[in-house]
Amino acid sequence: MGRPLSMTAPFRDEFSSVAAQYALHRPVYPRALFDFLATLPARRALAWDCATGNGQAARALAPLFTRVIATDASDAQLAHATPAPNIEYRVARAEASGVAADAVDLVTVAQAMHWFELDTFFDEVRRVVRVGGALAVWGYGDGALDTPALASELHRFYSETIGPYWPPARKVLDSEYRNFVMPFTEVSAPRIPLAADWTLAGLAGYVRTWSATQRYIAANGRDPVDALVERLRPHWGEASATHRVTWPLWIRCSVRGGR
């Protein structure tokens, strides 16, 4: 799998400008994912959800752990996080969490590893995870709609219309997170489906949260999603109709000290 990647560029905030939309229009991770994650550590006292965004993963972890610390480098994202009695939200970068050493039972990273300086982040994980603790990271790539015509139009938008605007970090995600070495003993993870049923407006909201879409708008002064919606509309059906979007969800896990 090669050596850990090193991405030394300073933090670039790709999502604060669409934080409200991000909270509304991202797919919801399935309960089965968190049930699996809870089996990884020897104890369930403290979970650290790194790059928590609006706290979706943190909220799912909260019933399974005594405490959850949820960090994000964007205070705008955290402003849209839902409070819970045992979740502590903090503004912090992945590479400098402020979490106590040898205190964490599970570190989770949902759809964000490609933004990190990985060598430094893994050093931070080694510092905070106690023996018997674990790191679990997951992500998803290009979603597919449920008819050939719709799927083709969405894929064309992803790869051609905004393709040149994806940041270099996207390549790490598109590799299914296989081009870095995990910091502890790697363990296998199940295949867990990720899907959402959306109206056309819901899909458009999701596509507008993409970093490449926002970069396209900044560079060209117009929203490319408007044209995508017009191409999808003849194949969609009624405005209130929903279509299923499915994504490949990949999970990598490693446990300190083995299972």
Side-chain angles (χ1 to χ4, degrees):
M1 289 182 286
R3 298 175 59 194
L5 298 182
S6 178
M7 294 180 289
T8 57
F11 170 67
R12 176 166 181 164
D13 192 341
E14 299 277 352
F15 300 105
S16 286
S17 63
V18 290
Q21 296 96 313
Y22 200 96
L24 290 172
H25 295 298
R26 285 281 166 147
V28 176
Y29 299 119
R31 178 78 256 166
L33 169 63
F34 299 97
D35 290 342
F36 164 70
L37 297 179
T39 70
L40 294 172
R43 302 198 301 176
R44 298 187 198 174
L46 177 62
W48 168 29
D49 184 41
C50 181
T52 194
N54 59 65
Q56 183 191 145
R59 293 191 300 275
L61 291 166
L64 303 171
F65 286 80
T66 305
R67 293 177 58 223
V68 177
I69 295 174
T71 64
D72 201 278
S74 168
D75 54 0
Q77 285 274 33
L78 292 177
H80 294 276
T82 302
N86 65 332
I87 300 177
E88 178 186 352
Y89 291 104
R90 300 179 181 178
V91 177
R93 291 192 59 170
E95 302 84 359
S97 67
V99 177
D102 298 315
V104 176
D105 298 297
L106 178 66
V107 179
T108 55
V109 184
Q111 190 73 358
M113 281 286 288
H114 47 296
W115 299 114
F116 297 173
E117 202 295 307
L118 290 184
D119 292 329
T120 310
F121 172 67
F122 285 148
D123 286 343
E124 182 72 347
V125 169
R126 294 182 187 97
R127 185 184 70 82
V128 303
V129 171
R130 68 171 95 228
V131 173
L135 166 67
V137 306
W138 64 92
Y140 56 90
D142 186 7
L145 280 158
D146 57 3
T147 74
L150 292 171
S152 176
E153 289 291 355
L154 182 60
H155 181 71
R156 182 157 67 94
F157 178 85
Y158 176 95
S159 60
E160 297 179 16
T161 304
I162 63 169
Y165 296 89
W166 286 111
R170 185 74 186 188
K171 295 178 181 178
V172 181
L173 179 64
D174 288 340
S175 75
E176 301 189 3
Y177 289 161
R178 286 291 162 191
N179 50 358
F180 56 79
V181 178
M182 294 288 275
F184 309 125
T185 302
E186 188 152 9
V187 297
S188 61
R191 283 286 183 180
I192 297 173
L194 177 62
D197 295 311
W198 280 335
T199 62
L200 183 53
L203 177 71
Y206 163 64
V207 171
R208 287 190 174 101
T209 68
W210 292 355
S211 59
T213 303
Q214 293 304 307
R215 287 177 170 216
Y216 182 105
I217 292 170
N220 297 280
R222 58 187 174 85
D223 184 351
V225 180
D226 294 338
L228 171 65
V229 168
E230 291 308 309
R231 292 197 301 272
L232 291 172
R233 197 185 306 277
H235 308 288
W236 196 272
E238 298 294 328
S240 60
T242 61
H243 284 271
R244 173 152 290 200
V245 189
T246 57
W247 295 265
L249 179 67
W250 46 83
I251 310 164
R252 293 189 66 188
C253 311
S254 67
V255 177
R256 184 176 180 185
R259 292 298 304 272

